[in-house]
């Protein structure tokens, strides 16, 4: 008999339950799906109630649409059904109970019908709804594929440090306004002074696909060198080491990035795109693609792409960038095109081999978001 545990302890033990307790039919999958959708639904209802504080303007614009309300209603209904199913199947009831509780609280707060209740005090907002949609969309897209075609079948969905990586998602989603301001602010400043009208008109008139391809090549070239600098310049490496501290590769691992590195990467890609006059549709399509693409190359996916990997970055290519082996140090900097690594002498992709492990030798970066945020500013070594 083990001693009684607190609810958070029981929840964590359940999420991280061993293989045998997670089998299909055990009520684990329904419990996790029910809880994820229930908690997500509750946070979305909160952002409907206080859109000025918790909703991103692009998502607030959808609040009046029937489709948005129907999706939220469906989400809460599925959360309710799956949580109830888990309660029926599983002896440990914490997942089902919390899933049901979240759904009921969401319903009491107005559910899919909820309207703004709290006045908008400031122009500042946190992207709480962005966080929910981000994690649910990415998780439900990648987790099933990772379970079907894993690089490491033994790696659980809730592997070590999953909470830290979800927290990285949370911070970068909540602070989406800061990220946007820091990148578009300087871009507008440059535009005010630089006489680029002719170039901008020419670029903006190019067909969508040409603009999209041009953005991919341009940003990859810039990012190759920025990424390489983050590896080679010691004080920059201390920021980027946070990204490389991940010991498990999956859909969450790519989110682990020092906040100042996120700003630097966004600034060095968005500012040139904006200043050169690319169309907003092409820029937004690219930002969406690069988000999915970077999630994909970090994923726990064992797929080989023998032909494609010569031309495009694949999970195996980027996994080598994160490899713990000596031969994996400072290789494969490209985000999209391995050609850049071939040109500049940093390409490494041995036939049919994957790295043995991930992370940095001796694991110098501390664990936890706050410690990792402070890590580059610490005076040691
Ligand atoms: Zn790197
Ligand atoms: Zn990476």
């Amino acid at each position: 008999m083990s001693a009684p545990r607190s609810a958070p302890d029981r929840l964590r033990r359940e999420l991280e339950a061993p293989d045998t307790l997670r089998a299909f039919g055990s009520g684990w999958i329904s419990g996790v799906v029910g809880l994820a959708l229930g908690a997500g639904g509750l946070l979305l209802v909160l952002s409907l109630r206080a859109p000025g504080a918790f909703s991103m303007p692009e998502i607030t614009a959808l609040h009046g649409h029937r489709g948005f309300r129907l999706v939220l209603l469906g989400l809460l209904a599925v959360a309710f059904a799956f949580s109830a199913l888990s309660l029926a199947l599983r002896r440990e009831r914490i997942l089902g109970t919390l899933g049901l509780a979240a759904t009921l609280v969401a319903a009491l707060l107005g559910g899919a019908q909820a309207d703004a209740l709290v006045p908008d005090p400031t122009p500042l907002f946190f992207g709480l709804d962005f966080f929910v949609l981000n994690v649910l969309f990415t998780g439900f897209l990648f987790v099933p594929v990772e379970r079907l075609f894993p690089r490491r079948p033994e790696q659980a969905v809730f592997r070590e440090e999953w909470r830290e990586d979800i927290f990285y998602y949370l911070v970068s989603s909540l602070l989406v306004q800061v990220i946007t301001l820091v990148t578009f602010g300087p871009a507008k400043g440059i535009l005010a002074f630089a006489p680029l009208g002719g170039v901008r008109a020419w670029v903006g008139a190019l067909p969508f696909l040409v603009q999209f391809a041009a953005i991919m090549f341009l940003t990859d070239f810039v990012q190759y060198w920025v990424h390489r600098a983050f590896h080679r310049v010691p004080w920059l490496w201390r920021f980027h080491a946070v990204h490389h501290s991940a010991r498990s590769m999956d859909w969450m691992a790519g989110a682990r990035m020092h906040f100042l590195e996120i700003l630097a990467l966004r600034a060095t890609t968005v500012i040139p795109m904006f200043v050169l006059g690319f169309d907003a549709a092409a820029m937004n399509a690219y930002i969406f693609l690069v988000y999915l693409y970077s999630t994909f190359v970090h994923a726990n996916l064992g797929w080989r792409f023998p032909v494609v990997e010569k031309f495009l970055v694949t999970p195996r290519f980027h996994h080598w960038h994160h490899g713990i082996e000596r031969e994996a140090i400072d290789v494969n900097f490209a985000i999209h095109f391995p050609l850049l690594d071939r040109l500049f002498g940093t390409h490494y992709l041995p036939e049919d081999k994957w790295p043995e492990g991930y992370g940095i030798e001796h694991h110098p970066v501390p664990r936890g978001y706050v410690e990792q945020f402070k890590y580059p500013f610490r005076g040691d070594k």
Side-chain angles (χ1 to χ4, degrees):
M1 286 286 283
S2 53
R5 290 166 196 281
S6 66
D9 265 0
R10 278 172 60 199
L11 175 61
R12 189 174 168 199
R13 271 169 69 92
E14 268 290 88
L15 293 173
E16 297 174 2
D19 240 0
T20 46
L21 297 177
R22 285 188 275 122
F24 189 80
S26 69
W28 187 83
I29 298 173
S30 52
V32 170
V33 171
L35 178 56
L37 294 182
L42 174 58
L43 296 179
L44 285 179
V45 171
L46 285 178
S47 69
L48 283 173
R49 282 300 190 195
F54 295 128
S55 179
M56 202 178 156
E58 288 83 351
I59 304 176
T60 315
L62 299 173
H63 287 177
H65 285 260
R66 252 175 77 81
F68 182 83
R69 302 284 175 163
L70 277 174
V71 169
L72 180 54
L73 184 65
L75 201 128
L76 291 170
V78 174
F80 188 87
F82 273 54
S83 302
L85 176 65
S86 174
L87 281 177
L89 290 172
R90 199 163 180 83
R91 254 184 68 185
E92 167 59 273
R93 307 168 82 85
I94 187 90
L95 291 175
T97 310
L98 288 177
L100 275 190
T103 319
L104 290 176
V105 175
L108 286 174
L109 286 172
Q113 320 259 291
D115 279 319
L117 196 67
V118 182
D120 185 2
T122 67
L124 298 173
F125 67 89
F126 294 106
L128 186 65
D129 49 4
F130 182 53
F131 165 69
V132 173
L133 298 176
N134 209 350
V135 169
L136 289 184
F137 172 75
T138 319
F140 279 91
L141 188 66
F142 279 94
V143 171
V145 193
E146 286 188 341
R147 299 323 292 166
L148 286 171
F149 309 100
R151 157 70 195 125
R152 286 182 160 179
E154 70 283 3
Q155 184 177 302
V157 176
F158 296 97
R159 39 75 173 170
E160 67 166 350
E161 297 192 282
W162 67 269
R163 295 178 304 164
E164 285 83 346
D165 289 343
I166 289 288
F167 196 75
Y168 272 95
Y169 260 105
L170 179 69
V171 174
S172 57
S173 308
L174 289 183
L175 298 183
V176 60
Q177 190 180 22
V178 176
I179 298 174
T180 310
L181 285 179
V182 166
T183 48
F184 282 97
K188 287 182 180 151
I190 294 173
L191 269 191
F193 291 101
L196 288 166
V199 180
R200 287 172 54 79
W202 183 76
V203 170
L206 292 169
F208 175 84
L209 281 178
V210 176
Q211 289 197 35
F212 190 80
I215 290 174
M216 273 187 85
F217 277 101
L218 178 76
T219 54
D220 209 24
F221 182 79
V222 174
Q223 282 198 76
Y224 174 90
W225 288 104
V226 173
H227 190 180
R228 194 161 157 168
F230 265 103
H231 275 252
R232 297 284 171 83
V233 179
W235 67 271
L236 284 177
W237 166 249
R238 291 180 68 91
F239 287 92
H240 190 56
V242 170
H243 180 64
H244 279 269
S245 69
R247 301 180 205 193
S248 313
M249 294 292 273
D250 63 4
W251 67 280
M252 289 184 251
R256 178 187 300 216
M257 194 172 274
H258 196 281
F259 194 70
L260 296 187
E261 187 183 349
I262 297 181
L263 294 183
L265 273 184
R266 281 302 193 93
T268 49
T269 49
V270 171
I271 292 173
M273 281 196 277
F274 192 83
V275 168
L276 287 174
F278 285 103
D279 190 50
M283 288 201 287
N284 289 332
Y286 173 75
I287 290 171
F288 184 63
L289 170 106
V290 78
Y291 168 67
L292 279 186
Y293 199 100
S294 69
T295 310
F296 170 68
V297 300
H298 289 96
N300 178 25
L301 271 175
W303 280 334
R304 283 282 328 269
F305 298 90
V307 181
V308 177
E309 71 185 4
K310 293 186 171 35
F311 308 100
L312 284 174
V313 170
T314 59
R316 200 168 77 90
F317 179 92
H318 195 67
H319 280 223
W320 270 112
H321 179 69
H322 280 265
I324 191 125
E325 287 92 335
R326 285 192 175 255
E327 60 267 34
I329 294 174
D330 292 356
V331 297
N332 299 1
F333 294 117
I335 311 293
H336 304 302
F337 305 111
L339 174 71
L340 290 167
D341 285 287
R342 288 185 196 277
L343 280 179
F344 303 121
T346 48
H347 188 268
Y348 184 74
L349 199 60
E351 275 296 312
D352 276 333
K353 254 181 76 189
W354 291 76
E356 290 294 320
Y358 304 106
I360 308 165
E361 201 180 7
H362 308 309
H363 301 295
V365 180
R367 291 182 190 242
Y369 186 92
V370 175
E371 285 306 309
Q372 293 181 349
F373 185 85
K374 292 191 294 195
Y375 176 69
F377 308 109
R378 275 177 11 190
D380 56 332
K381 291 178 288 295

